[in-house]
Amino acid sequence: MSAADSPAAASCGICGLIERIRGSSFADFIAELEHHYVILGDAQFYRGYCALLFKRHVMELHRLAPEIARSAFDEVLAVARAIDAAVHPIRLNYENLGNQEPHLHWHIFPRSADDPMRLAPVWMRPEAERKVTLDDRERRALIESLRAELARILR
Ligand SMILES: [Zn+2]
């Protein structure tokens, strides 16, 4: 079944991303889990930032069956542990918003001690500063490291 089968999903940016992941045309793909696709996020000022995209076009976490929500949250924790192991942040920030893209997804941002805006939410940093792209070699190495840590944690 396509992620974009419902009319609401047809214009959804996250369903569009999922279609690209399934078509193997998304370079920042990290892993496929039972409930989510995991990708390296586009704001690598926060090096190691990942997003989890729920595989179905669901709008709200609380509308999932409780056992599905718990199982999906276990995947959020696993990705958090993988980021922690790969980049050693001082802490992680978790975001489940859906204001711009009303398709269930999580952002996990590693925060570092040398960030002058470390007390502020990540979104306070101007988009042009946030949306840093790593050079290709570093990006690939980081994806491999996150993928390996995630596999180790889920083993
Ligand atoms: Zn969607």
Side-chain angles (χ1 to χ4, degrees):
M1 187 180 85
S2 163
D5 280 349
S6 76
S11 60
C12 170
I14 290 182
C15 285
L17 269 182
I18 288 173
E19 291 299 312
R20 286 176 56 202
I21 290 167
R22 289 178 174 163
S24 303
S25 67
F26 190 74
D28 291 334
F29 168 76
I30 296 174
E32 178 177 0
L33 306 178
E34 182 184 356
H35 301 292
H36 297 101
Y37 290 102
V38 185
I39 62 171
L40 190 70
D42 62 359
Q44 290 300 311
F45 174 86
Y46 302 102
R47 188 176 169 278
Y49 155 51
C50 290
L52 291 92
L53 314 176
F54 198 74
K55 287 180 173 179
R56 287 184 289 119
H57 185 84
V58 169
M59 291 175 66
E60 295 284 358
L61 184 62
H62 63 271
R63 290 189 190 144
L64 293 177
E67 65 276 13
I68 300 291
R70 288 187 193 101
S71 170
F73 193 68
D74 284 344
E75 295 181 357
V76 175
L77 291 178
V79 172
R81 289 175 179 133
I83 295 169
D84 188 44
V87 301
H88 312 292
I90 56 163
R91 63 166 297 109
L92 293 173
N93 288 170
Y94 303 80
E95 305 247 22
N96 172 239
L97 301 171
N99 303 316
Q100 292 183 26
E101 291 286 359
H103 174 136
L104 180 56
H105 63 287
W106 290 87
H107 305 268
I108 308 178
F109 286 98
R111 303 302 299 265
S112 67
D114 60 0
D115 177 357
M117 293 177 69
R118 72 182 175 283
L119 301 182
V122 296
W123 312 109
M124 299 295 287
R125 180 175 298 286
E127 184 170 319
E129 288 178 28
R130 243 184 9 247
K131 292 200 169 176
V132 171
T133 304
L134 302 174
D135 78 57
D136 199 52
R137 191 168 169 176
E138 186 184 2
R139 188 181 59 79
R140 285 171 194 271
L142 181 57
I143 286 173
E144 281 309 315
S145 171
L146 289 162
R147 189 179 284 148
E149 292 296 348
L150 189 56
R152 180 183 61 77
I153 287 158
L154 293 171
R155 197 162 48 222

